[in-house]
C-alpha cells in the first residue's frame, strides 16, 4: 500500500491551514487540550479568528490575550475550579483593550452543534432553553414545530469550523487517530471541519492502530495533518501519559489578572521559544516529572482472525 | 483536632465550606444517580459515599459514569475519575442519552443567583449587554435543571444580591418559567428542590411552587434570613434549626477527602 | 461496595421482562445478533410483539414463523447475501398465513430513530427521502421547516422499545457492557428502551471492565439483566470469539421456503431444547469447531494511575 | 484455464458475473473513497484494488473505514472487514458524519429497477400495498444515492421490467425527483452516474439529465438495447463496444478473489 503520510511539523501545519479570519475549533474537554497548537497560532500571529471551544479555559485566555481572537463561540467561560478568565472578563466587561464578540450556548447546545455540523444537518433539536434568557442573548437558538404534534422544541444551528485542531494519544502516519479517556465532542468537532489537524503524543506504526480499530475515534480520511508533539497538551493532560498541571491552572489565575504579566508570560513561554520541545525543556524538571503517572493497563481483547480453511466453508 | 476530647457535634461556622458540604451530603441519603459538579458538590458526594449513602452513583458531565476515584477530583474532567471508572461515554451519549434521556436523579449545582422559583443565573451580574461581572455561563446547568429528576443548589452567599426578587439573567429556568413561555414545554424534571446557603436550607416541594425556608442554621433567626432575601420568602411552619455537622463528618472532609484544602476554604 | 448483581438466566430474564404485545428491539448489525434470546422468546410463546430490528434477517424470519410477531419496524428485509426472508415475503405478499404489519425506514432513518428515542427528542432530522416514495409508504416520515432559512427537511420520530435485547462479548455483574468490532446502533437502541437485557459471551470481573472504561458501550445503570450465554449469537458471530456460520444462513434460505420445514426446524432447534447449551451441543461438533477464530490481540493501552504524592501538589 | 495458451482478451459472456465485475472495476480507476455494497460490488472493489486502483479506500455501512480484509467478505458486516481495519465507527458516525457529511466519492449499489433519471427501486415489484415481490427495501441506499458524490449501479438483468418507463416504487430518488418535490431539496450528490447491465453501460453526465447508452457489450446491437429498455433510451454518438475483460482479470476473480464462487455465478 503506497498511501501518503500526513505527518508534518507543527509550524508547517499551522502555516498551511490556519489563516487570519478563519473559524478555528480547538476542542478537548479538560483532557487532551491542544495547547502546543494554540501556542503555535499565537507564535505565528494569526488575527481575527473566531475561536470555537466549549470550555474556553486558559488556552482561550492566552489566544485572546495575544490578540488572535475577535469572536468566541463557547458554553462555559471559566477555568474549571481554577477561577476566572481575566482577559475574557476584561474584554467582555469593559472592552479592555478591545471588545470581544461572544456567541453563547450551553454545553449540550455546543455538542449538538458539532453533531449537526458533522452530519450536515440544518439544525439539531435540544430539550433545553424553555423559559431561559439564552435565546434572547443568542438569536441563533430558535424554535421549531414538532410535526408529530408535541410541543415546540428549541434547535441550535450547525457549527462548521474551517479548521479543527485536536490533541490525541496516538495516530498512524495515514491519519487514523486513537484516543482514550475523556473523549468530549472531539469526533463530531473533527467531522464538522473542513480541515483537521491533530497533534499526538506518539506517531505509531499502522499495525498498532489496526490491532484495535474501535480505538480509532477519527478515521484517516477526515484528517489532514498529523504532528508528533509529545507533551503537547500541557498544562492539561493526556490520559496514561502525564497528568494535569493543576498548579499552573491556579497560577494562570494570578498571571492573567494583570494584562502585562500575561503578555510577559506569552513572551517567555511562546514568542521566545521555537516550539513545544523548548517549552518542555524550560519547565522546571521536577515539575514535569511530578506529572508522570504510574501504569494502569487496559489489558488486551481479542479481535480474532479468520482461519483460511473456514473461508466459504459449507 | 482531637475528636476524642470533643462533643460529637462540631462547632464549625454555618458559613463554612465544611458546614455546607455536610448539609449537602445529608440531602443525598436516599438518592441514586447524581450528576456532580465541581467544588462543594464534589466534597458533598464524596462525604455522602463515606457516610449516609455508600451506593451513590457518580456521573460527570465529562462522560464518566460509575467513577471510582482514587483521590479527590480536581475538576469534572480529572484523570482520577477515568482510571478505574466503569465507563467513559462520549459527551453526546452523556448529555443526550443519560441526562436528557432521563437517567439522572439529582443534579448538584452552584449558582450566583437563585430566585423564588428556583431559576438560576450563572451568566451575568448587571445588564447582560455590558455586564458588571461576566460569570462562567450555562455550561451543563441549562441541561441539568430541566432534565435531572431534581436539583440541589449550593450557594456560597446568602444576601439580597444572590437571592434577588428578579434575576439579572436567567440561565437555567425553573419549570415555572418554562410554563410561562409555553405550558406544553414544561420540562420533565422537578427543577430546583433544595437550596443550601450559609444561612438556611430552602425547599421547593411543589414543582410549580416557591422556595420555603425549612432549616435555619444555628445562631440565626427567621428575621436574619428574611432580611437577607430580596423577596418575601416563605418560612415553613415546621422550620427547625439545621443540625450541626458531627466532628466525624468534619474530620472526614479535612483529613480524608480534601487533605490539601482544595475546596475547603 | 455492596451493589447488586444483575446476572440472571435467560429464561428468567425473558419471562420477567418480555410480555405479549410489547415493542421489542433485537439489534446487532450482522454482528452480535441475540439469537439465543430470540429463541427463548419463541420458546416462551410470546405473541403480538412489535419487533424492531434494522435488518430483520433470519432471526426475524424465525420469530415471525413462530407466530410471535405481528408488526415489524425495519429498514432492510433480507438476509444479506444469503437471500430472501421467505416467511416475511409470504406474509407481506400473500397474507399467508396471516398479514404482517410493516413500518419501514432506511438504515439511517432507524439509526436516527434510536438516537431520538435515547435522547427523548420528538424527532430527528435526516437528509434523505426528498423525491422518494418512502414518505408515502410511511406517514411517520414527515417534514419540518428550517428556522434558519434553509430548505425543509424530513424528520423521523423517536423509537422507544419496551425492551431492547442485545448480545455482547462481555459484561460485569453490575451490568457494564463491553463490545468491540461492529457496534451498529446498539448504544442508542439500549438507551432508548425502558428495559435492557444483554446476553454475553462472558461475565467478567469488575476489574476487567474497569481497566478499560472506554470499551463500555452501555453503562450499568442502563441495563436491567445480564445473562451469561456463550455462543448466544450463533449463527451470527462474536468478534474474537467465533465466526459467522455462513453456511447456516444459506441453509435457512432453503428451510424457510416451505413453512412446514421452517416450523420443523423450530421444533428441533428451539421448542425441543431447554436452551442455548443444548442447542450448541446439538450442532455438529466439526461445524462449531470450524467457526473458531485464531487470535488477533488488540494490545493494551495505558490509562495511567495518579501517584499519591502528586495529588494537589503545587 | 490456461492463460498462456489464450488471447489476453477473454471470451466470458457479457451477462456473466465476471464481465459485470470487470466493467465495474474499471469504472473505479480514478475514484477515492468507495461505499461498497455486498455481492458484485464486493468483487469489483477487490479487483479494482488489485488492478486499476491500489489506493482505493473501502468504507462499509457497518461502520468499517479503511478495511484490509484478509479474505473475501461474505457480507458488509463480515468479521474479516473488522480484523486489521483502520477504524470501526458507530453507525451514527458512519451514516451521519462520513456519508451524510459528504466524504464518500462513490456509492456502489444494486437495484431491481432503474429509471431514465437514475432513480432506484429496491422495495417492491407490483403495487406496494400488496406487492407481487417484497424486495429488501431501502437499507442504506436511500442515504447513499443523495449523499455519495456519485453512484454506480450494477443490474443483474436488462429488460423492460428492470429498466421501466415508470418505477413500481421509488426507494432512492435521483436529483430530478428531489427537484420535482422541492427545488431547494436537491441533494448534494450527483445521483446515479453509471449503470452497468448485462447488455450495456449507461451514463448520466448531467446531474439533471437522462441515462445515455455509451457502451454496448460485444455481440449486441443498439436495437437490442433499445428493445430491452422500456423508455426510448438515448444512445451516445460516440457509443462503442464495451472492452472485454482480460483473462488476467477473470483469473484474479476466479482464482484469487472469489475462489468459492460465492458471488460469481
Amino acid at each position: 500500500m503506497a498511501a501518503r503520510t500526513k505527518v508534518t511539523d507543527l509550524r508547517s501545519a499551522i502555516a498551511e491551514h490556519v489563516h487570519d479570519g478563519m473559524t478555528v475549533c480547538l476542542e478537548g474537554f479538560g483532557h487532551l487540550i491542544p495547547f502546543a497548537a494554540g501556542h503555535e497560532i499565537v507564535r505565528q500571529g494569526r488575527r481575527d479568528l473566531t475561536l470555537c471551544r466549549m470550555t474556553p479555559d486558559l488556552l482561550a485566555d492566552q489566544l485572546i490575550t495575544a490578540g488572535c481572537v475577535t469572536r468566541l463561540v463557547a458554553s462555559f467561560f471559566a477555568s474549571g475550579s481554577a477561577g476566572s478568565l481575566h482577559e475574557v472578563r476584561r474584554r467582555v466587561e469593559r472592552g479592555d483593550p478591545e471588545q470581544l464578540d461572544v456567541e453563547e450556548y450551553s454545553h449540550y447546545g455546543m455538542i449538538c452543534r458539532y453533531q449537526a455540523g458533522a452530519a450536515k444537518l440544518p439544525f439539531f433539536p435540544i430539550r433545553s432553553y424553555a423559559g431561559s434568557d439564552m435565546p434572547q442573548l443568542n438569536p441563533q437558538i430558535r424554535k421549531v414545530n414538532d410535526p408529530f404534534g408535541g410541543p415546540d422544541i428549541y434547535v441550535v444551528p450547525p457549527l462548521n469550523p474551517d479548521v479543527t485542531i485536536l490533541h490525541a494519544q496516538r495516530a498512524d502516519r495515514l491519519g487514523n487517530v486513537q484516543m482514550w479517556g475523556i473523549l468530549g465532542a472531539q469526533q463530531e468537532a473533527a467531522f464538522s471541519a473542513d480541515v483537521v489537524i491533530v497533534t499526538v503524543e506518539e506517531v505509531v506504526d499502522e499495525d498498532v492502530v489496526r490491532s484495535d480499530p474501535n480505538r480509532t475515534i477519527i478515521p484517516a480520511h477526515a484528517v489532514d495533518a498529523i504532528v508528533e508533539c509529545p507533551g503537547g497538551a500541557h498544562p492539561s493532560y493526556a490520559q496514561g501519559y502525564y497528568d494535569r498541571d493543576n498548579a499552573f491552572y491556579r497560577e494562570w489565575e494570578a498571571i492573567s489578572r494583570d494584562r502585562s504579566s500575561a503578555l510577559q508570560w506569552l513572551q517567555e513561554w511562546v514568542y521566545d521559544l521555537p516550539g513545544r520541545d523548548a517549552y518542555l525543556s524550560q519547565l522546571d524538571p521536577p515539575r514535569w516529572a511530578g506529572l508522570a503517572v504510574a501504569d494502569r493497563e487496559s489489558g488486551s481483547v481479542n479481535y480474532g482472525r479468520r482461519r483460511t480453511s473456514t473461508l466459504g466453508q459449507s | 483536632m482531637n475528636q476524642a476530647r470533643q462533643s460529637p457535634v462540631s462547632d464549625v461556622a454555618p458559613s463554612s465550606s465544611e458546614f455546607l458540604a455536610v448539609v449537602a451530603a445529608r440531602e443525598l441519603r436516599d438518592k441514586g444517580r447524581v450528576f456532580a459538579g465541581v467544588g462543594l458538590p464534589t466534597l458533598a458526594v464524596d462525604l455522602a459515599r463515606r457516610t449516609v449513602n455508600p451506593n451513590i452513583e457518580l456521573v460527570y458531565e465529562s462522560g464518566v459514569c460509575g467513577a471510582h476515584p482514587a483521590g479527590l477530583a480536581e475538576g469534572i474532567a480529572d484523570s482520577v475519575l477515568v482510571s478505574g471508572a466503569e465507563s467513559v461515554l462520549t459527551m453526546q451519549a452523556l448529555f443526550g442519552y443519560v441526562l436528557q434521556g432521563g437517567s439522572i436523579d439529582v443534579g448538584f449545582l452552584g449558582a450566583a443567583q437563585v430566585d423564588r422559583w428556583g431559576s438560576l443565573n450563572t451568566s451575568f451580574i448587571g445588564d447582560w449587554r455590558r455586564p458588571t461581572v461576566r460569570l462562567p455561563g450555562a455550561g451543563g446547568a441549562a441541561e441539568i435543571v430541566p432534565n435531572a429528576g431534581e436539583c440541589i443548589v449550593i450557594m456560597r452567599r446568602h444576601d439580597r444580591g444572590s437571592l434577588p426578587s428578579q434575576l439579572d439573567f436567567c440561565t437555567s429556568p425553573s419549570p415555572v418559567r418554562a410554563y410561562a413561555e409555553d405550558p406544553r414545554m414544561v420540562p420533565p424534571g422537578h427543577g430546583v428542590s433544595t437550596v443550601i446557603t450559609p444561612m438556611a436550607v430552602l425547599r421547593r416541594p411543589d414543582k410549580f411552587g416557591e422556595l420555603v425556608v425549612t432549616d435555619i442554621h444555628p445562631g440565626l433567626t427567621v428575621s436574619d434570613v428574611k432580611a437577607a432575601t430580596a423577596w418575601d420568602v416563605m418560612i415553613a411552619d415546621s422550620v427547625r434549626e439545621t443540625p450541626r455537622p458531627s466532628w466525624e463528618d468534619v474530620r472526614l472532609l479535612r483529613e480524608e477527602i480534601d487533605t490539601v484544602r482544595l475546596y475547603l476554604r
Side-chain angles (χ1 to χ4, degrees), chain A residues 75 77 92-93 95 99 104 106-108 115 127-128 130-133 137 143 149 151 154 184 237 239 243 250, chain B residues 74 76-77 79 82-83 88 91-92 95-96 100 128 130 132-134 136 139-140 143 170-171 173 177 181 184:
Chain A
S75 47
F77 304 79
V92 171
E93 294 169 10
Q99 187 61 39
E104 187 166 352
S106 58
H107 278 348
Y108 194 40
Q115 181 169 353
R127 292 184 63 164
S128 300
S132 171
D133 286 334
L137 175 68
K143 246 193 263 194
Y154 277 99
Y237 75 102
Q239 189 84 39
D243 220 331
R250 289 191 288 273
Chain B
E74 195 157 342
I76 43 88
S79 67
V82 171
S83 296
V88 179
M91 288 183 77
Q92 178 57 260
F95 274 85
Q100 191 170 278
W128 58 263
R130 175 59 77 182
T132 315
V133 184
R134 166 75 248 201
E143 279 78 43
C170 175
T171 317
R177 278 185 68 117
E181 174 172 333
R184 300 183 71 204

Side-chain angles (χ1 to χ4, degrees), chain B:
Chain B
M1 149 185 50
N2 185 331
Q3 201 189 336
R5 283 192 304 236
Q6 296 176 342
S7 145
V9 174
S10 82
D11 60 0
V12 295
S15 61
S16 68
S17 300
E18 287 87 344
F19 195 101
L20 294 174
V22 170
V23 172
R26 288 177 184 156
E27 295 294 323
L28 299 173
R29 183 183 300 276
D30 56 353
K31 307 301 183 186
R33 200 166 304 115
V34 176
F35 199 106
V38 79
L40 284 177
T42 306
L43 295 184
V45 294
D46 201 336
L47 182 61
R49 193 169 54 151
R50 292 164 194 254
T51 56
V52 294
N53 189 349
N55 289 321
I56 196 167
E57 259 186 86
L58 305 184
V59 175
Y60 294 88
E61 64 184 12
S62 53
V64 181
C65 290
H68 297 272
L72 184 67
E74 195 157 342
I76 43 88
D78 192 312
S79 67
V80 293
L81 297 175
V82 171
S83 296
E86 296 172 32
S87 61
V88 179
L89 306 177
T90 67
M91 288 183 77
Q92 178 57 260
L94 198 285
F95 274 85
Y97 313 159
V98 178
L99 178 57
Q100 191 170 278
S103 294
I104 299 297
D105 300 313
V106 180
F108 216 139
L109 299 166
Q113 293 185 322
V114 58
D115 76 5
R116 67 166 74 195
W117 315 105
S119 288
L120 304 179
N121 175 16
T122 53
S123 298
F124 305 98
I125 297 299
D127 178 356
W128 58 263
R129 288 167 199 83
R130 175 59 77 182
T132 315
V133 184
R134 166 75 248 201
L135 297 167
E143 279 78 43
I144 296 168
V145 173
N147 292 306
E150 62 176 300
C151 288
I152 299 174
V153 177
I154 306 187
M155 307 285 290
R156 282 277 192 181
R157 290 163 42 189
H158 186 148
D159 55 34
R160 297 174 67 89
S162 48
L163 284 80
S165 57
Q166 178 85 35
L167 300 179
D168 292 355
F169 183 88
C170 175
T171 317
S172 304
S174 70
V176 178
R177 278 185 68 117
Y179 184 92
E181 174 172 333
D182 181 343
R184 300 183 71 204
M185 292 180 82
V186 169
H190 179 96
V192 171
S193 62
T194 309
V195 177
I196 298 163
T197 79
M199 300 184 82
V201 179
L202 299 86
R203 299 180 198 275
R204 217 174 56 87
D206 176 357
K207 181 166 177 175
F208 297 96
E210 285 190 35
L211 284 164
V212 178
V213 175
T214 58
D215 304 59
I216 296 179
H217 299 343
L220 297 166
T221 65
V222 167
S223 314
D224 295 334
V225 174
K226 278 182 167 284
T229 306
W231 73 87
D232 184 17
V233 67
M234 294 169 68
I235 310 292
D237 293 342
S238 58
V239 66
R240 59 168 189 170
E241 181 178 280
T242 314
R244 290 176 180 275
S246 71
W247 278 119
E248 173 60 10
D249 288 338
V250 173
R251 189 193 66 78
L252 284 168
L253 284 169
R254 292 179 179 171
E255 297 181 11
E256 297 197 13
I257 296 172
D258 190 6
T259 54
V260 296
R261 299 191 77 82
L262 183 63
Y263 303 124
L264 292 173
R265 293 176 200 165

